Amino acid sequence: MSEQMSGAEMVLRALKDQNVEHIFGYPGGAVLPIYDAIFQQDDIKHILVRHEQGATHMAEGYARSTGKVGVVLVTSGPGATNAITGLTDALLDSIPLVCISGQVPTPLIGSDAFQECDTVGITRNCTKHNYLVKKIEDLPRILHEAFYIASSGRPGPVVVDIPKDVQFAMGDYYKPSNESDHKSYKPQLNGDLGAIEEAVNLMIRAEKPILYTGGGIINSGKEASESLRELAELTGFPVTSTLMGLGAFPAKSDQWLGMLGMHGTYEANLAMHDADLIVCLGARFDDRITGRLDAFAPNSTKIHVDIDPSSIGKTVHIDLPIIGDCNNIILEMIRIWREKTDQNRLSASSVWWKQIEEWRDVKSLRYENSDEVIKPQFAIQRLNEAVKDKDTYITTEVGQHQMWAAQYFQFNEPNRFMTSGGLGTMGYGLPAAVGVQVAHPDAVVIDIAGEASVQMTMQEFSTAVQFRLPIKIFILNNEYMGMVRQWQQLLHGSRYSSSYSESLPDFVKLAEAMGGKGIRCDDPAKLDDAIQDMLDYDGPVLFDCRVSKEENCLPMIPSGKAHNEMILPETKDIGNVIDEKGKVLV
Amino acid sequence: MNTNLQPSGSAYFITKPTAEPERHTLSVLVDNEPGILARIAGLFSARGFNIDSLTVSETNHEKGRSRITVVTVARPKVLRQIKLQLERLIPVHKVHDLTQEGKCLERELALVKVAGKGENRVETLRIADAFRAQVVDASTESFIFEITGKSSKIEQFIALMMPLGLVEVVRTGISAISRGSSKM
C-alpha cells in the first residue's frame, strides 16, 4: 500500500510508523518543508533546542533512558556541523540516533551554496552509516533503513541528509515489510553454542572469576540486566562494570564490586588484576579500563561477549570470543550452567571472596568529611539519600563530578545513568537531562554537573523552561575544571594553567534570568534542606553547590600504571606518583 | 594488537613489534553506491592503516556490486582489525584475505612511456619483447608500452627502461582473484 505525499510529509509519516513521539531540532532554510509538515500534524512533538549540539545530547539522553531511537532534526550547513559532537558521542557510546538534516537543493550541491556543507562527507567517520537522499523514490526505504541500522546490532548514529527539493517532491510512501532483511548488513545476534558451552566449562572450573560488564548489557535491553542478575546469582561470581554499564547490576548487591578502571574501586581493579577468568559481557577493554596493557590481568583467561566482532581482540588478546547479543548469550550460559551443575560455583565463604573482602576493607572510596565545607563526595551521597526512593534518572557532564557520581551514587536499575563515556563530552549532561525528562515527565531527573562543563550547553536551560521540564542541575562548583586541575597537580607541578573557572556567573541569578529557580548552598549542615528545596520545586533548578576547591578524585590508576598500582585516598603528595614515562600518556 | 608494549609512548600505548608486518591482498565486495570508496579510504586513514594499492570497479552491473582490491601491509593483529573494521561498514558484503586463503592470482597493468633515439630504441623494443609488453603508441622518438603481469615483473621492466629514456609510468594497481573454481 503506497500513498502519494511530499518528501517532508514522508519524513513525518516514517517517524510515526517508527513509533517516534518526540524529536529534538532547530529549524533553518533547508528544513522548512519538514517544519511545515510538523506544524500540520499532532502525532510527533518537536522540542525546540537552543543549539544543535543540545539536540543531539537530548536525543542521546532520550534514547539511553528509554531504549528507543533518539531523533534529531537540523538544517544544512551550521545546523549539521553543530550536531557533529553529539553524533560522535553517540558513535563512541553506541547510542541509537537518527539525525535528519536538511541539504541545499540537489542542483546546488557542490556549488558552495548558502549554508551548504558536505554533510555526508563530514559525518562519514562519526556515524554508523549515513545517506544523502538524491531521489524521492529512495526516501521511504532510507528513512526506515536508518532506524533499523541505528537500533540493531551495535547501535549508533545514522544521518539522513535530505536536499530541499527532495523534501518538496511528491512520491509514493510505503513502509518496507521486512526492514531487517538488509542486503549486506546482518548483525549476528545468537552466539555460537559450542563457544558458549566452552565458556561455561571455563566458568565452572574457574577459581578466581569475575564478570566484567559494560554498556552492551544496557543496549541489549532491560531483559539483559535481568539475565545478568540471574547469571551472577547462579554462579556466585563477583560483578564489576564500566562507566557505561552502571545500573545493569544493582549496586546494593553483595556481589557488586563497584566500577572498575582508572577511577574504579580497589576491590574491582585488584579482582580484575588477580582474576584467573574474566567474563567480559558487552564491554570493550577500553584504555580507561585496562590501564597499562602489558600488566592488565596477566594471569587470566578472557572470554569476550560482544555484538561487534571488531571489538574483540582490538586491544587485549581474547581466548574465547563469542559474537552476539548479550542477553541471548547470557540466557544460553544460564541454561547450559543449569544443565551441568546445580551448584553455586563461588559461595560467599570461598577463598576468592575472602580475598575480595580484604580488598573491600581497604575502603578505597573513603574521604575525610568536613563540617565547614561541603565535600563533593558527601554532596553526592546526600543527593543519593534524598532521591533513593524516587523514580530517578541521573545524567552527568564530564570530569571529577562525573567520576564521583559513578563512585558514590548507587545505581540499581539499567537506563538510569546517562553519561558521556567514550568521547568525554563536557556539556553533555544538561541537554541529556532535558531529553530524559521529555521521555519521563514525572521522574526526578538530575544532572550532576561541574561549573565548567555546564556552561558549555547552559542555554538549553531555556529549553527546559519552555517545555516545562523540571530538570535539576546539581552543580558541584569547585571553581576549577577539576579533572584538568587534578592532572596538572599530578603531572605538571601544580601549575594550574587555564583551569581556574574565572568570571563565573552568579548561577542563582542566571537561573532566575532564564525563568527557573536558583539555589546556592555552601554549608554541609544546610545541604539536606537545600536538596529538598530543589526536589520540591516544580520546575527547572540550577543548584550551585559550593564544594571544597582542591579535592582530588580518588582512587586512581595513574597513567602508565597497572591495576595493582592504584593511588588510594591517603596519598598526600600525588604530584610525585607518575614518572616521566607515564606523563606522556593521557 | 597491543599485548606487548613499549614502556612509554605517546597518548596511547605503542605496540612493540611482536610480529613482522605482512603484505596482504584483500578483496572487498561492496554495493557500488556513492561514497563507498571514501568510506573505505576514510576507514584506512582514520584508523592509521596502510594502503599500498587500491583498485575499484563495478563487477556485477545487475546487482550493482563492486570489487575492491586493497593491498595493505600490517602486522597480523592489525590485519585482523582491518578485515573486521571493513566488514563493519554497512555497504560491505564480504571481505576476503586472498593472501591468507592462498593460491591467489595477482595482476597489474602499466602504461610505460619511453623516449629515445638510435641504439636505445632497438634495445627498448628488444626488452619489451622479452617482457611481452605491447607497443600501443609510437612516434619517431617514443614508444608507449602496455605491460601486464605481477607487480614484480612491472617493477623490473620499469627499472630496465630507466636508463633507456623512461619518461613516465601509470599503473592500475593490483587486481586479484582466488584460483580454482570457488567464488567469493
Side-chain angles (χ1 to χ4, degrees):
Chain A
M1 265 285 286
S2 68
E3 263 179 77
Q4 273 275 316
M5 60 180 79
S6 72
E9 287 165 336
M10 282 184 195
V11 171
L12 272 293
R13 183 59 184 279
L15 294 181
K16 192 185 167 199
D17 285 349
Q18 289 288 340
N19 301 315
V20 173
E21 292 170 75
H22 298 95
I23 62 175
F24 303 91
Y26 203 99
V31 279
L32 285 179
I34 297 175
Y35 272 86
D36 198 41
I38 291 174
F39 193 84
Q40 297 180 46
Q41 55 85 53
D42 293 318
D43 297 315
I44 291 155
K45 290 183 189 63
H46 176 263
I47 308 294
L48 175 66
V49 302
R50 299 298 182 268
H51 183 285
E52 289 86 350
Q53 183 189 348
T56 55
H57 296 323
M58 285 177 204
E60 286 187 274
Y62 187 91
R64 194 143 181 91
S65 68
T66 59
K68 294 168 67 178
V69 176
V71 183
V72 178
L73 176 59
V74 297
T75 192
S76 63
T81 56
N82 280 345
I84 299 296
T85 302
L87 293 171
T88 314
D89 194 273
L91 183 69
L92 282 235
D93 284 345
S94 307
I95 310 292
L97 293 191
V98 168
C99 176
I100 295 163
S101 55
Q103 182 56 276
V104 300
T106 44
L108 290 185
I109 289 177
S111 70
D112 295 329
F114 176 63
Q115 291 197 327
E116 185 192 355
C117 75
D118 176 10
T119 303
V120 285
I122 293 171
T123 58
R124 196 171 286 130
N125 283 352
C126 64
T127 52
K128 183 173 174 186
H129 195 49
N130 63 12
Y131 301 88
L132 171 62
V133 187
K134 288 185 176 159
K135 299 197 299 279
I136 185 73
E137 296 77 43
D138 293 335
L139 186 58
R141 174 185 59 82
I142 287 176
L143 286 167
H144 289 287
E145 202 173 284
F147 275 85
Y148 171 62
I149 288 175
S151 58
S152 59
R154 182 176 177 178
V158 177
V159 165
V160 182
D161 198 29
I162 312 177
K164 197 171 180 179
D165 55 332
V166 177
Q167 297 171 32
F168 275 124
M170 297 298 288
D172 287 328
Y173 173 81
Y174 59 93
K175 183 177 190 288
S177 50
N178 49 347
E179 58 184 26
S180 64
D181 190 20
H182 191 276
K183 52 187 172 177
S184 56
Y185 170 71
K186 294 180 173 65
Q188 185 181 338
L189 301 180
N190 292 315
D192 178 69
L193 273 181
I196 298 174
E197 183 158 2
E198 176 60 22
V200 174
N201 287 338
L202 287 167
M203 287 159 73
I204 287 174
R205 284 203 301 270
E207 300 287 332
K208 297 190 277 184
I210 186 164
L211 298 175
Y212 152 46
T213 66
I217 303 270
I218 313 259
N219 280 334
S220 184
K222 286 198 162 59
E223 307 78 24
S225 297
E226 293 302 319
S227 310
L228 171 65
R229 288 156 201 231
E230 199 179 338
L231 181 71
E233 194 179 333
L234 196 64
T235 57
F237 288 4
V239 184
T240 183
S241 164
T242 65
L243 183 70
M244 298 310 294
L246 292 178
F249 192 75
K252 60 188 175 196
S253 164
D254 292 339
Q255 283 169 264
W256 174 242
L257 303 187
M259 182 175 75
L260 81 163
M262 184 170 269
H263 292 289
T265 64
Y266 190 70
E267 56 270 33
N269 285 331
L270 270 281
M272 284 293 279
H273 189 266
D274 281 14
D276 66 356
L277 178 70
I278 291 175
V279 184
C280 170
L281 302 167
R284 59 184 177 92
F285 295 91
D286 163 86
D287 58 85
R288 300 294 92 165
I289 297 305
T290 59
R292 193 186 158 93
L293 268 173
D294 59 349
F296 171 71
N299 302 312
S300 63
T301 301
K302 297 174 189 77
I303 300 170
H304 189 175
V305 176
D306 205 299
I307 202 159
D308 177 5
S310 75
S311 282
I312 289 172
K314 185 160 63 177
T315 56
V316 168
H317 175 75
I318 299 302
D319 302 284
L320 180 60
I322 307 175
I323 314 280
D325 178 75
C326 277
N327 190 42
N328 294 347
I329 293 166
I330 297 173
L331 286 175
E332 286 299 328
M333 283 178 169
I334 292 169
R335 185 183 62 77
I336 296 171
W337 180 285
R338 287 220 171 97
E339 278 173 17
K340 288 179 186 285
T341 175
D342 53 1
Q343 291 279 305
N344 201 319
R345 181 67 186 86
L346 277 190
S347 66
S349 60
S350 69
V351 177
W352 181 227
W353 269 114
K354 274 186 189 151
Q355 172 65 69
I356 289 171
E357 290 306 329
E358 278 175 34
W359 290 326
R360 259 187 188 153
D361 289 341
V362 171
K363 298 198 187 311
S364 58
L365 293 180
R366 67 190 179 277
Y367 61 93
E368 218 172 292
N369 210 353
S370 161
D371 294 338
E372 277 139 35
V373 57
I374 300 175
K375 291 284 185 159
Q377 303 94 325
F378 177 71
I380 288 176
Q381 285 177 323
R382 296 318 300 163
L383 183 68
N384 190 22
E385 192 61 25
V387 300
K388 69 177 180 190
D389 297 324
K390 297 180 195 294
D391 182 21
T392 307
Y393 293 82
I394 299 292
T395 71
T396 76
E397 310 291 336
V398 169
Q400 285 185 319
H401 66 272
Q402 177 190 30
M403 292 297 110
W404 283 318
Q407 291 171 333
Y408 295 93
F409 203 96
Q410 303 244 306
F411 296 98
N412 292 308
E413 297 296 329
N415 306 91
R416 297 287 170 155
F417 184 50
M418 275 52 65
T419 192
S420 171
L423 193 64
T425 309
M426 291 171 72
Y428 168 90
L430 195 157
V434 172
V436 174
Q437 191 85 72
V438 167
H440 310 275
D442 300 323
V444 177
V445 181
I446 304 172
D447 171 28
I448 297 177
E451 85 290 341
S453 282
V454 78
Q455 289 186 83
M456 287 203 175
T457 48
M458 189 77 240
Q459 67 275 28
E460 302 305 339
F461 196 77
S462 288
T463 308
V465 172
Q466 179 183 346
F467 292 92
R468 301 180 190 284
L469 301 165
I471 56 167
K472 315 299 179 198
I473 310 302
F474 191 73
I475 304 171
L476 297 177
N477 182 352
N478 57 6
E479 298 179 15
Y480 277 108
M481 293 156 213
M483 196 59 95
V484 174
R485 187 206 56 71
Q486 178 171 339
W487 278 64
Q488 288 171 335
Q489 185 184 358
L490 272 161
L491 301 169
H492 298 283
S494 298
R495 291 180 294 279
Y496 297 153
S497 179
S498 294
S499 55
Y500 183 68
S501 294
E502 288 279 354
S503 306
L504 278 178
D506 179 330
F507 285 111
V508 174
K509 284 186 185 160
L510 184 62
E512 287 163 1
M514 288 175 134
K517 181 181 170 70
I519 298 174
R520 179 171 297 120
C521 183
D522 57 6
D523 181 352
K526 293 178 183 158
L527 182 60
D528 282 352
D529 287 345
I531 288 173
Q532 204 50 53
D533 282 352
M534 172 179 87
L535 296 173
D536 289 345
Y537 184 72
D538 184 22
V541 178
L542 265 188
F543 190 117
D544 183 11
C545 185
R546 297 297 183 96
V547 298
S548 56
K549 297 199 191 310
E550 298 195 12
E551 194 74 17
N552 282 319
C553 184
L554 296 171
M556 178 179 187
I557 303 174
S559 42
K561 301 274 183 181
H563 276 181
N564 57 354
E565 300 174 284
M566 296 188 79
I567 308 178
L568 288 167
E570 69 274 2
T571 311
K572 290 291 176 219
D573 185 16
I574 70 166
N576 290 322
V577 173
I578 298 181
D579 57 19
E580 287 302 318
K581 287 171 181 170
K583 284 186 184 178
V584 290
L585 304 171
V586 295
Chain B
M1 80 186 84
N2 295 336
T3 45
N4 205 339
L5 299 162
Q6 292 180 348
S8 73
S10 67
Y12 290 83
F13 301 94
I14 291 174
T15 317
K16 193 191 282 180
T18 48
E20 286 307 305
E22 297 170 10
R23 185 172 180 278
H24 279 239
T25 305
L26 308 179
S27 194
V28 188
L29 189 64
V30 300
D31 282 325
N32 183 19
E33 57 179 45
I36 180 63
L37 188 57
R39 277 184 215 284
I40 304 271
L43 169 71
F44 273 76
S45 71
R47 295 194 182 264
F49 305 145
N50 298 312
I51 298 181
D52 264 23
S53 163
L54 180 73
T55 60
V56 194
S57 193
E58 190 168 86
T59 50
N60 184 335
H61 300 307
E62 214 168 278
K63 288 183 175 170
R65 301 268 166 85
S66 287
R67 284 266 290 252
I68 299 179
T69 309
V70 192
V71 181
T72 185
V73 176
R75 299 198 164 84
K77 281 185 177 172
V78 177
L79 204 61
R80 194 174 159 274
Q81 265 293 303
I82 294 174
K83 282 181 260 178
L84 292 171
Q85 292 292 350
L86 282 170
E87 279 169 354
R88 210 155 80 111
L89 297 175
I90 305 292
V92 169
H93 287 260
K94 280 180 200 164
V95 181
H96 278 228
D97 185 338
L98 297 177
T99 308
Q100 192 180 45
E101 290 162 16
K103 300 193 295 179
C104 86
L105 209 57
E106 292 186 10
R107 288 296 180 267
E108 194 180 357
L109 183 145
L111 296 173
V112 181
K113 189 185 283 185
V114 185
K117 288 179 176 175
E119 268 306 298
N120 276 2
R121 275 175 75 84
V122 181
E123 180 65 3
T124 304
L125 282 176
R126 209 175 57 79
I127 294 171
D129 191 44
F131 278 77
R132 293 191 195 141
Q134 307 280 329
V135 177
V136 289
D137 179 76
S139 70
T140 51
E141 295 182 354
S142 70
F143 292 114
I144 297 174
F145 298 105
E146 175 192 317
I147 178 168
T148 322
K150 290 183 187 169
S151 298
S152 56
K153 173 182 162 185
I154 292 170
E155 293 287 347
Q156 203 185 351
F157 182 69
I158 292 167
L160 289 171
M161 288 298 159
M162 199 84 78
L164 297 172
L166 183 75
V167 179
E168 60 181 344
V169 178
V170 279
R171 298 169 69 158
T172 56
I174 289 165
S175 282
I177 197 165
S178 63
R179 288 182 192 263
S181 59
S182 66
K183 76 166 196 173
M184 187 170 164

